[in-house]
Amino acid sequence: MTDPRYTPLALSLPATVPFVGPETQERARGTAFTARLGANENIFGPSPRAIEAMQTASADIWMYGDPENHELRQALAAHHDLSPDNIMVGEGIDGLLGYLVRLLISPGDTVVTSLGAYPTFNYHVSGYGGVLHTVPYKDDHEDLTSLFAKAGEVGAKLVYLANPDNPMGSWHRGADIVAALDHLPSDCLLLLDEAYVECAPKGTAAPVDANDTRLIRMRTFSKAYGMAGARVGYALAAPDLIAAFNKVRNHFGMNRAAQAGALAALQDQDWLAHVLAEITTARRRIGEIADQNGLKAQPSATNFVAIDCGQDSIFAKRVLDALIDLGIFVRMPFAAPQNRCIRISCGPSKDLEAFASALPQALISARKTQ
Amino acid sequence: MTDPRYTPLALSLPATVPFVGPETQERARGTAFTARLGANENIFGPSPRAIEAMQTASADIWMYGDPENHELRQALAAHHDLSPDNIMVGEGIDGLLGYLVRLLISPGDTVVTSLGAYPTFNYHVSGYGGVLHTVPYKDDHEDLTSLFAKAGEVGAKLVYLANPDNPMGSWHRGADIVAALDHLPSDCLLLLDEAYVECAPKGTAAPVDANDTRLIRMRTFSKAYGMAGARVGYALAAPDLIAAFNKVRNHFGMNRAAQAGALAALQDQDWLAHVLAEITTARRRIGEIADQNGLKAQPSATNFVAIDCGQDSIFAKRVLDALIDLGIFVRMPFAAPQNRCIRISCGPSKDLEAFASALPQALISARKTQ
């Protein structure tokens, strides 16, 4: 045979990649980036205790990880003051998003998100044949009212909301999300992606009962905890929904060292506080750099800052391309009007000063080619 | 709402777990196992260079892994003398099995495997609504002729064959598999799981062209390379089929330290040779232990040995339960007649002697309760 008999759905899917990795760009450039500021990674890194735990566990990597993620779930339950039955650990939020979409979405089912929000969620929805409806951002914020109204209008099974938002770094008060839940259609589940919530002001995390069946929240060790390469995320939801993941997940899918690292990272809240202070400093510095170049940094509750380049997406793309040529890896939002911005990860001075040095030249270059 | 609107398929799925982890059993027992010989893990462990590479990469875990697995695919291509386009790296064979089944199987599609072969494959088939047909083992070997005949009979899209086999450790010559391919229905893909092939005699790996569209082969760093907890597997197939994985896989799903570890493990073939010699010694010792207890060890081309307990599955289960009570973690096949056996992983003397000490008592206990 020439081709296997793919499913009609698989045949219909494009061979898309949600993101191109910086390593791919480095290979194309033939040289490494000076600063890696494009992927919302946390350059301050994880707790030294987490690194040590992963290094110790590496020597025992001949063993499969515990498929129940028992110790980590126990620790997370204590940390969040809820039951382990409210917690599912998975291969990053990306992995958990895939499982959740698989549980809910058959071909033709409708899903709502914001235009230009997290592409990997959209990738999973398309991958299971879901039909995606979008609502625009409002003043650079995901628009709670419109999202939930659209969900009702299209009969959505699932609505996606990131709080704080990626790529803009904007946020809603958790209490406002809880209030808005009254307007969520009763047969629609809210997927609340709180990947960046540790970086946000107090009151940003949605103050909901873990057994509230109207929503599922997702958290990660990739951002504030600085372990993106480990692939550890978790979902918080009512026990029945958490248990449903056991029907489809890759039970032995977790890396054993990553399990140990996440546990140690959670137990080192002092390091988390240290990193959050560094992120605050970095956000301020990115704001200054923008100012000094006549650009406007967006307020951010995340470990990155969107900088408004003051013109359209074509201009922002020119700035981005020039930065990449100068060895600074950055990314930009995918959809208008957010794509007038470029997005800069927080990092130590060395990285930010490399960005500060490159930006004026990138702007000259971008303006020259207009 | 009380429940999200799950898909009909998700509603139909049981909350099954393909395997219970040894940690779960340890928590139930209240104490750790003396020897961990049940999960086909490789207790000899990975190359020290692989451990070092993972430890070094742990310090850089703030970065996502390369979604293209570029370096590892390049190295695997050189190792196997084929193109990187023939290789897909994924989150263990388990992860790759899930992606492949997703690409091919819609509800109602038929799949063929052997009765009592790898349960995680069956889990994925059921998880995507596939209908599984099985053929019995023949003389404790997966039955090539019957598998391919059954595939034709039921119009299977996919047929699963593990060579060497798990759980029996038996094997076919690679050339015999290639010859049998002539009898594979032209519209059916052979999934050849070669997870244990490095442990097998020369000539066991199927000598096929990587561009042969009749089959896809799967390999892993979990077994001979001793990195089960890292979750690194790979598929070898024609470029179009390899590219199809990009439609559905979790592009950023690989642990960055695991990528580095697998690369270092592949580059240390001396360590692999050392481990294979240890496995040969261990298989012989397990055979002696069986002999000394009046039992029969099955010939094995893997890093485990199935021991025929000489009676039925009820008796084998009694032996297994007694061993577990005595602190020896072992497992047994799921289906008759293979489930007259218990299955013992190869390991260092310390572990095997713990098994040797426990087995006579376990047999007495098993016979007593009859």
Side-chain angles (χ1 to χ4, degrees), chain B residues 258-272:
Chain B
Q259 291 175 323
L263 181 62
L266 185 70
Q267 288 166 344
D268 192 352
Q269 292 291 312
D270 288 348
W271 179 264
L272 179 65

Side-chain angles (χ1 to χ4, degrees), chain A residues 1-24 27 36 39-46 51 54-56 58-71 91 94-96 101-106 109-110 118 120 123-124 126-128 155-158 185-190 196 213-215 222-223 226-231 240-258 331, chain B residues 1-24 27 36 39-46 51 54-56 58-71 91 94-96 101-106 109-110 118 120 123-124 126-128 155-158 184-190 213-215 222-223 226-231 240-258 331:
Chain A
M1 90 180 142
T2 49
D3 273 322
R5 286 186 282 161
Y6 295 114
T7 67
L9 176 57
L11 282 172
S12 77
L13 295 175
T16 48
V17 178
F19 296 101
V20 174
E23 290 83 2
T24 305
R27 287 189 289 271
R36 182 166 160 135
N40 298 356
E41 293 160 331
N42 175 354
I43 309 170
F44 301 108
I51 294 173
M54 287 183 276
Q55 290 175 333
T56 301
S58 293
D60 287 332
I61 207 75
W62 62 270
M63 288 183 274
Y64 288 102
D66 173 14
E68 297 188 14
N69 298 289
H70 180 83
E71 287 183 51
E91 304 92 331
D94 284 0
L96 291 165
V101 171
R102 179 174 167 194
L103 285 169
L104 267 68
I105 304 303
S106 296
D109 286 342
T110 52
Y118 192 45
T120 304
Y123 168 79
H124 288 305
S126 303
Y128 287 102
K157 280 182 153 183
L158 190 60
S186 65
D187 58 356
C188 179
L189 181 73
L190 170 63
Y196 298 96
T213 57
R214 296 175 297 178
L215 80 168
S222 297
K223 304 302 177 185
M227 291 175 52
R231 315 315 300 130
D240 284 355
L241 176 51
I242 291 298
F245 282 79
N246 284 324
K247 296 179 168 191
V248 297
R249 74 187 178 100
N250 190 359
H251 290 265
F252 286 85
M254 293 296 296
N255 179 290
R256 188 178 181 92
R331 285 192 181 133
Chain B
M1 86 181 145
T2 49
D3 274 320
R5 286 187 281 161
Y6 296 114
T7 67
L9 175 57
L11 282 172
S12 76
L13 295 174
T16 48
V17 178
F19 296 101
V20 174
E23 291 83 2
T24 304
R27 287 188 289 272
R36 183 167 161 135
N40 298 356
E41 293 160 331
N42 175 354
I43 309 169
F44 301 108
I51 294 173
M54 287 184 275
Q55 290 175 336
T56 302
S58 294
D60 287 331
I61 208 76
W62 63 269
M63 288 184 274
Y64 287 103
D66 173 14
E68 297 188 16
N69 298 288
H70 180 82
E71 288 184 49
E91 304 93 331
D94 284 359
L96 291 165
V101 171
R102 180 174 166 192
L103 285 169
L104 266 69
I105 304 304
S106 297
D109 286 341
T110 52
Y118 193 44
T120 303
Y123 168 79
H124 287 305
S126 303
Y128 287 101
K157 280 182 153 183
L158 189 62
L184 183 72
S186 65
D187 59 355
C188 179
L189 181 73
L190 170 62
T213 57
R214 296 175 296 178
L215 81 168
S222 296
K223 303 303 177 185
M227 291 175 50
R231 314 316 299 129
D240 283 356
L241 176 51
I242 290 299
F245 282 80
N246 284 324
K247 296 179 168 190
V248 297
R249 73 186 179 100
N250 189 358
H251 290 266
F252 287 84
M254 292 297 295
N255 179 290
R256 187 178 182 92
R331 285 193 181 131

Side-chain angles (χ1 to χ4, degrees), chain B residues 68-89:
Chain B
E68 297 188 16
N69 298 288
H70 180 82
E71 288 184 49
L72 182 54
R73 278 171 53 238
Q74 291 286 332
L76 285 167
H79 181 75
H80 290 296
D81 193 20
L82 38 76
S83 159
D85 294 341
N86 292 119
I87 302 170
M88 177 54 64
V89 171

Side-chain angles (χ1 to χ4, degrees), chain B residues 92 97 126 203-205 277 313-314 352:
Chain B
L97 289 176
S126 303
T204 304
S313 69
I314 295 167
L352 297 188

Side-chain angles (χ1 to χ4, degrees), chain B residues 147-216:
Chain B
L147 280 168
F148 293 2
K150 176 66 83 174
E153 191 186 307
V154 301
K157 280 182 153 183
L158 189 62
V159 55
Y160 176 89
L161 170 69
N163 190 52
D165 171 67
N166 172 22
M168 295 305 284
S170 55
W171 67 103
H172 294 283
R173 292 192 322 134
D176 293 342
I177 293 172
V178 172
L181 280 174
D182 290 341
H183 304 285
L184 183 72
S186 65
D187 59 355
C188 179
L189 181 73
L190 170 62
L191 163 50
L192 179 57
D193 182 344
E194 297 185 324
Y196 298 95
V197 80
E198 294 89 355
C199 306
K202 270 200 177 154
T204 304
V208 293
D209 189 300
N211 297 312
D212 191 325
T213 57
R214 296 175 296 178
L215 81 168
I216 182 169

Side-chain angles (χ1 to χ4, degrees), chain A residues 42 44 199 224 275-284 302-303 346:
Chain A
N42 175 354
F44 301 108
C199 306
V275 167
L276 295 178
E278 294 280 11
I279 287 172
T280 302
T281 302
R283 283 196 301 235
R284 197 178 308 128
T302 65
N303 75 326
C346 291

